[in-house]
Amino acid sequence: MTADRMDVTAVLLARLYRIGPDGTGYRRGLRALRRAVLAHAAREEREEFPVLERLGRNRRRMLGLEVKLAKELAPTRPHPRVNGELANKLAMPVFGPADRCRDLVRRWRTGA
């Protein structure tokens, strides 16, 4: 995903999170996010999947494990001021655990 596309997606996600599903403009924002995600998926299928298919099975398996680890460490909510690959990698160890603690407290308070 290009930096511009990541910026747009992060801003849209943050806006939707702030607005909430009952807020004004939520559906419009959701449609914009859908368009951005579909465009991203189409580009991945066109440009990235062929490259991945050329990699060996072991390398693809290793990449899969790296993605699983990143998911475990990643923040659980959008942080629109953190954009770009380097910024995301630096922020992940801070925002990921902080978001998970926040989620845990929220679940504890609501009894969910």
Side-chain angles (χ1 to χ4, degrees), residues 12 15-17 19-35:
L12 288 170
R15 186 178 302 146
L16 288 172
Y17 184 78
I19 293 172
D22 298 324
T24 303
Y26 186 82
R27 285 185 172 209
R28 188 174 352 113
L30 198 57
R31 285 191 298 272
L33 179 63
R34 180 179 186 271
R35 284 190 302 273

Side-chain angles (χ1 to χ4, degrees), residues 1-12 32-33 35-41 43 83:
M1 185 179 274
T2 64
D4 290 343
R5 186 60 57 193
M6 286 175 65
D7 292 346
V8 169
T9 304
V11 168
L12 288 170
L33 179 63
R35 284 190 302 273
V37 168
L38 289 175
H40 169 71
R43 190 192 61 73
N83 288 309

Side-chain angles (χ1 to χ4, degrees), residues 75-97:
T76 60
R77 58 186 41 81
H79 296 276
R81 290 185 181 90
V82 179
N83 288 309
E85 185 178 353
L86 179 59
N88 283 326
K89 286 180 180 179
L90 292 173
M92 189 181 343
V94 175
F95 287 127

Side-chain angles (χ1 to χ4, degrees), residues 62-112:
M62 184 60 69
L63 286 172
L65 292 172
E66 290 174 15
V67 168
K68 286 180 182 180
L69 177 61
K71 281 183 172 183
E72 291 295 320
L73 298 175
T76 60
R77 58 186 41 81
H79 296 276
R81 290 185 181 90
V82 179
N83 288 309
E85 185 178 353
L86 179 59
N88 283 326
K89 286 180 180 179
L90 292 173
M92 189 181 343
V94 175
F95 287 127
D99 284 355
R100 281 174 173 60
C101 288
R102 186 176 172 188
D103 296 342
L104 184 64
V105 168
R106 181 172 285 157
R107 280 194 306 270
W108 177 75
R109 285 183 178 168
T110 62

